[in-house]
Amino acid sequence: MDHAAVLALYDRDMREGARPESSDARVERTGGVVRHVGGEDGWSGVLWSDLDASGADAAIAEQIAYFTGLGHEFEWKLYGHDRPADLGRRLVAAGFTADPEETLMIGETADQLVDAQLPEGVRIVPVTDRAGVELMVEANEKAFGRDGSWLRDLMDARLSSDPDAIVALLATADGVPVSSARMELLPGARFAGLWGGGTVEAWRGRGIYRALIAHRARIAAERGYRYLQVDASDQSRPILERLGFAPLSTTTPYVYTGGDRRRG
C-alpha cells in the first residue's frame, strides 16, 4: 500500500468529498470547510478543512455560530496532518474540548478475507430489528463500561431510514451477547468504516474481534469496497497492525457543547 496515496484518497473520498450518512442528513461546503449536518439523532461536525493561519480563527467562529444556531452540539474531527499545525490549540481556545486521540488505520479489504475461528459456542448474527439492537447495546455497555443509549438511538434511526448503509453484528455465547460491531457503507465510497468491535472482558483474546473484522470484510468485498477504515484506540491499534492495517494519521474529536448532544 502506498500510504501517502491512500491517505490522499481517503481525504478526497471520505472528507472533502463526503456524503450524508443518512437520508435526513446533509453535507455543506462553505469556504474552506466541509461540514456534516446530522438528521434526527445523527452526527454533526466538521469533516474537512483547508485553512491557513490567517483565516482559521474566523472559520472556527463561523462554524460555532452556525451549529449553535441550529441547536446542535458538534464535533470538529481534526486529523494529524491537517493545517494549520496549531489548529487543535485554536479549537481549544475557542471553547472546544478534545476527546482522546485515535489512530486512522486503513487496510485492504482483500487482505482481511480469512476464515477466522470463533470460540466454541460463539456465533455471529446480524442485527436487523429492535430486539437485536437491545442485545447490541447490552454487549456494548458491558464491553466499554458506559451508557449505550446513544447506540440505541443511532441504530434505531439508521435501521429505519437507511438499512443498506449500515451492517450491525452481534456475537453471542450460548445466546448471551458478548461482543458487537458495525460497519458503515456510504454509496460511491471506496472505504468501508469499521466501528465498535467491543468485547466483554471475559471473552477478549479469543478471536472474536478478529472474526468480526473478517465477517465485515466479506460483506464489504461483496459490495465493492476496496478499503477498510478504523479510528483505532490504543487498545485496538496493535491488534489491527498485526492484521495488516496501516496507521496513516491520527484523529482527534474536538467537541463543542453549545447545543443538544447528537452522536453518530
Side-chain angles (χ1 to χ4, degrees), residues 21 158 162-167 183-187 223:
E21 68 173 18
R158 299 296 292 278
D162 296 276
D164 292 337
I166 191 164
V167 173
M183 176 169 64
E184 303 202 1
L185 302 168
L186 296 178
R223 299 195 190 183

Side-chain angles (χ1 to χ4, degrees), residues 80-183:
H81 58 287
D82 287 346
R83 297 292 179 267
D86 65 346
L87 186 53
R89 179 192 62 76
R90 293 171 185 262
L91 290 168
V92 171
F96 289 77
T97 300
D99 281 351
E101 180 183 275
E102 295 181 314
T103 303
L104 172 66
M105 305 193 73
I106 305 291
E108 293 265 8
T109 302
D111 293 341
Q112 304 304 318
L113 302 179
V114 300
D115 185 16
Q117 297 298 314
L118 285 165
E120 185 175 354
V122 175
R123 58 193 293 258
I124 294 175
V125 296
V127 174
T128 59
D129 57 20
R130 185 58 188 269
V133 169
E134 290 302 320
L135 292 174
M136 187 178 185
V137 170
E138 179 182 342
N140 184 272
E141 290 183 334
K142 290 179 178 178
F144 293 107
R146 62 176 184 247
D147 178 68
S149 58
W150 67 270
L151 179 60
R152 179 183 295 109
D153 293 342
L154 169 70
M155 291 302 305
D156 285 347
R158 299 296 292 278
L159 288 176
S160 63
S161 63
D162 296 276
D164 292 337
I166 191 164
V167 173
L169 302 173
L170 181 70
T172 63
D174 298 321
V176 177
V178 296
S179 187
S180 66
R182 68 187 196 276
M183 176 169 64

